Amino acid sequence: MDNAHIECIAPAHAIDRLCLVLGDQLDDQSALWAHFNGNTDAVWMAEVLDESLDIVSSKQRTVLFLSAMRHFAQQQSAQQRPLIYVSLNQKVASFAEALHATLHAHNVQRVCCVVPGDYRLVASFKSVCAAHNVALEWVVDTHFVSLPGEFEQWMTGRKQPRLEYWYRQLRKRTGILMQANGQPEGERWNFDADNRQAFAKAGPQNLTPPLRFSADALTLAVMHDVQTYLPNLPGYLNSFDWPVTRVQALNVLAHFIEHRLRYFGDHQDAMWTSEPWLFHSHISAMLNLKLLNPHEVLQSVQHAYVQQQASLNAVEGFIRQVLGWREYVRGLYWHYRHDWLEFNALDAHRALPSLYWHGQTKMVCLHHSIEQVLTHGYGHHIQRLMVTGLFALLWGAKPQQVHEWYLAMFVDAVAWVEVPNTLGMSQFADGGIVGSKPYIASGAYINRMSNYCKQCPYKPTLASGEQACPFTTLYWDFVRRHESLLAGHPRLGMQVKNWQQKTPSQQHDIGERAQWLFEHIESV
């Protein structure tokens, strides 16, 4: 087999089950394969232009998806499974167009697909199959810890969902980090308070670079195709070195547990210039493409704790992200699937500044965080929530535009996880479904958790004047704009009082500087 191409094994028969495999379903243990019959069934995969153009997908994200898909397809061919593979060079616009062509060319009895991670594809596949009078069967996605229907049952009767209680339910049911007496390991459910340390002046110590991978012939072919057929996507490709196979993904997980897990907890919220990776695992994309299974990830990390390779605060902090938050936002995405893109609780209507697409700004925190995403397609959760997300929130950016930027730029972005994180957690567009409050802060938070401010021309302590930190200025302007919303909040009401205690002159100067920023942001 030519290592730079996919060997398609055309079905020589009528197809009983056409098994669709999307770019975030690269799971060889999927329920899709439970009854696969190579004599009657076929695998179907497609690279289509609209998935990178309809809502833009960066070069890093696009290459990761397509390279992982081609490696997975090559694996299917090696197993002699009949394979229909639509490549980028065929210039097919959409999944609907690609599936229409396949159903027209082949005698297909049934189309089978694991429920997609993007609700819009459900409607698209339903429409195509109905037009061809072909049965469409949805296969349950078993690649999650929560059981089918468990989240919906948990939501019954709840006025507001909260992560902590969902997380505890999953801990109890699975036994992860639980004692024999039914109590949580360490007698606490949550060690978040121990995981907020900033780095000392010398910066992060004991850093071990993560595993990265040189592009093989198949990945180089993908990069060539992206440059040829999708040349105007944002971001850079010369730094692409993500894992694209299950074996590589397993190696990344093992490397993280051996070298960085022990340091992960203490500094998981910290940031440092020119250090994009720090002590994080970098496996979220592998989980979301289904190259890794959350069960094996959780078991491996818990085993490291049992073997005393990492402290409880590090292990619990990591497990809460995978077992708690990941399962939580997936449940919320599907529960509110018809509503997410219409949410705009803060009535935010400003255009997202163009600096998000090129990173050219004198604000050091934004410059580094955005440049890192352009280069690697990656930023850790605090860079996303408390730098890029925070500025968009304080700016009053249109939630839909913020969502489109995150979905475009991050390699681990799939709708089910990105939409609730962006529109809920980051932008509070949902009015409090995902989290109980807007995550707002001034430049003081960034100064405390990073060294960004030490190299910045703006001062985090100043809210007005030419040297004022734009985050600090816009923080107080946000409090002013949303005074009535925040005043009654138990955790944010004090900020309204602090605003009201400023002199009329101080309030005027902050408002004047905020208006100047709204008019001149591209020169800041």
Side-chain angles (χ1 to χ4, degrees):
M1 185 185 302
D2 185 340
N3 287 331
H5 297 87
I6 303 302
E7 180 182 353
C8 292
I9 305 174
H13 48 71
I15 300 172
D16 181 21
R17 296 168 71 242
L18 183 69
C19 297
L20 276 54
V21 178
L22 305 178
D24 63 336
Q25 298 178 344
L26 309 180
D27 178 10
D28 210 26
Q29 301 301 312
S30 167
L32 188 70
W33 311 116
H35 304 291
F36 189 89
N37 186 333
N39 295 319
T40 60
D41 303 336
V43 181
W44 183 92
M45 301 179 71
E47 304 171 1
V48 297
L49 297 173
D50 282 358
E51 292 302 301
S52 292
L53 296 175
D54 191 19
I55 292 181
V56 171
S57 174
S58 73
K59 290 177 180 176
Q60 287 275 329
R61 180 176 183 270
T62 300
V63 169
L64 175 60
F65 270 76
L66 299 189
S67 179
M69 286 173 64
R70 291 190 192 182
H71 283 86
F72 188 80
Q74 199 174 64
Q75 178 184 338
Q76 306 312 303
S77 294
Q79 297 178 48
Q80 296 300 303
R81 286 175 174 167
L83 172 67
I84 298 171
Y85 195 96
V86 179
S87 297
L88 203 61
N89 61 9
Q90 295 174 248
K91 301 180 183 179
V92 177
S94 65
F95 283 125
E97 180 182 332
L99 187 56
H100 268 303
T102 298
L103 296 182
H104 180 76
H106 297 271
N107 181 9
V108 176
Q109 299 302 307
R110 294 178 289 167
V111 169
C112 299
C113 183
V114 173
V115 177
D118 189 331
Y119 182 68
R120 65 190 170 85
L121 294 181
V122 173
S124 177
F125 291 145
K126 282 182 178 179
S127 177
V128 173
C129 290
H132 288 266
N133 197 29
V134 172
L136 174 59
E137 298 179 359
W138 296 116
V139 178
V140 173
D141 192 341
T142 57
H143 202 87
F144 292 88
V145 178
S146 51
L147 303 173
E150 184 177 7
F151 188 85
E152 287 300 317
Q153 183 178 8
W154 178 78
M155 285 287 288
T156 303
R158 291 182 182 272
K159 293 182 179 180
Q160 283 190 319
R162 285 296 171 256
L163 165 67
E164 184 65 26
Y165 302 110
W166 171 243
Y167 174 50
R168 292 183 186 185
Q169 173 167 314
L170 293 183
R171 288 269 299 272
K172 291 175 183 177
R173 180 173 62 74
T174 61
I176 294 173
L177 286 187
M178 297 295 294
Q179 301 178 59
N181 62 2
Q183 293 301 306
E185 190 70 26
E187 307 301 328
R188 287 164 54 190
W189 290 102
N190 188 317
F191 287 78
D192 192 44
D194 300 333
N195 294 345
R196 298 169 181 165
Q197 296 182 38
F199 295 121
K201 290 184 178 180
Q205 305 295 307
N206 304 310
L207 278 180
T208 301
L211 282 184
R212 311 303 292 174
F213 301 88
S214 299
D216 62 9
L218 208 58
T219 299
L220 290 172
V222 171
M223 295 167 72
H224 174 268
D225 287 351
V226 168
Q227 296 285 43
T228 301
Y229 303 108
L230 297 164
N232 298 318
L233 300 182
Y236 318 127
L237 269 187
N238 57 355
S239 54
F240 184 87
D241 52 9
W242 286 98
V244 292
T245 68
R246 173 160 169 76
V247 170
Q248 290 177 343
L250 287 169
N251 288 336
V252 167
L253 173 62
H255 191 269
F256 162 66
I257 291 173
E258 180 180 356
H259 296 287
R260 298 192 303 284
L261 175 60
R262 74 194 71 173
Y263 306 110
F264 167 77
D266 293 347
H267 300 297
Q268 64 173 283
D269 288 1
M271 301 170 283
W272 202 260
T273 53
S274 303
E275 293 291 353
W277 310 115
L278 296 171
F279 300 112
H280 294 267
S281 68
H282 325 120
I283 64 167
S284 56
M286 305 305 101
L287 278 167
N288 294 351
L289 269 62
K290 313 294 172 59
L291 295 175
L292 287 176
N293 188 292
H295 294 281
E296 67 190 349
V297 171
L298 293 167
Q299 290 168 5
S300 297
V301 171
Q302 180 169 246
H303 180 73
Y305 170 68
V306 172
Q307 297 298 313
Q308 299 183 332
Q309 293 176 260
S311 63
L312 182 55
N313 71 298
V315 169
E316 189 280 320
F318 182 85
I319 284 176
R320 183 159 19 93
Q321 290 186 355
V322 177
L323 179 64
W325 189 255
R326 187 171 185 268
E327 300 283 332
Y328 179 65
V329 296
R330 177 174 176 259
L332 290 177
Y333 173 77
W334 286 105
H335 188 81
Y336 294 98
R337 60 188 177 276
H338 300 294
D339 305 319
W340 282 111
L341 298 184
E342 304 302 320
F343 285 144
N344 192 354
L346 296 179
D347 195 29
H349 294 287
R350 294 188 182 278
L352 187 70
S354 63
L355 65 88
Y356 274 75
W357 297 98
H358 55 68
Q360 299 306 307
T361 174
K362 288 178 281 189
M363 290 180 280
V364 171
C365 60
L366 270 178
H367 170 71
H368 276 274
S369 297
I370 294 171
E371 186 68 20
Q372 179 179 308
V373 176
L374 291 167
T375 303
H376 301 292
Y378 171 79
H380 72 66
H381 63 283
I382 294 299
Q383 290 173 310
R384 301 188 202 201
L385 180 64
M386 300 305 293
V387 181
T388 53
L390 173 60
F391 192 82
L393 174 63
L394 300 178
W395 180 258
K398 298 175 183 178
Q400 178 78 14
Q401 290 188 1
V402 184
H403 146 63
E404 291 178 356
W405 183 77
Y406 277 97
L407 187 61
M409 299 305 294
F410 289 85
V411 296
D412 57 2
V414 181
W416 67 264
V417 67
E418 180 275 324
V419 167
N421 267 299
T422 300
L423 298 179
M425 182 71 167
S426 175
Q427 299 303 296
F428 202 71
D430 63 354
I433 293 172
V434 175
S436 61
K437 68 181 182 66
Y439 273 82
I440 57 171
S442 69
Y445 174 85
I446 297 172
N447 188 38
R448 183 167 67 252
M449 297 307 298
S450 75
N451 68 336
Y452 291 148
C453 299
K454 293 177 175 58
Q455 305 173 38
C456 189
Y458 304 110
K459 308 302 180 186
T461 56
L462 298 181
S464 61
E466 293 185 2
Q467 288 188 305
C469 171
F471 281 83
T472 303
T473 302
L474 294 176
Y475 169 79
W476 289 115
D477 191 67
F478 182 96
V479 172
R480 177 193 64 78
R481 297 197 311 268
H482 300 288
E483 189 170 335
S484 59
L485 170 69
L486 303 179
H489 195 283
R491 297 166 67 184
L492 296 175
M494 182 57 69
Q495 302 311 308
V496 173
K497 293 180 180 178
N498 290 339
W499 166 254
Q500 293 171 343
Q501 289 172 1
K502 292 183 182 296
T503 66
S505 176
Q506 289 173 321
Q507 292 182 353
H508 173 270
D509 290 348
I510 290 171
E512 189 174 70
R513 182 61 179 175
Q515 187 58 42
W516 185 91
L517 288 171
F518 291 136
E519 296 171 359
H520 299 89
I521 189 61
E522 299 305 333
S523 65
V524 172

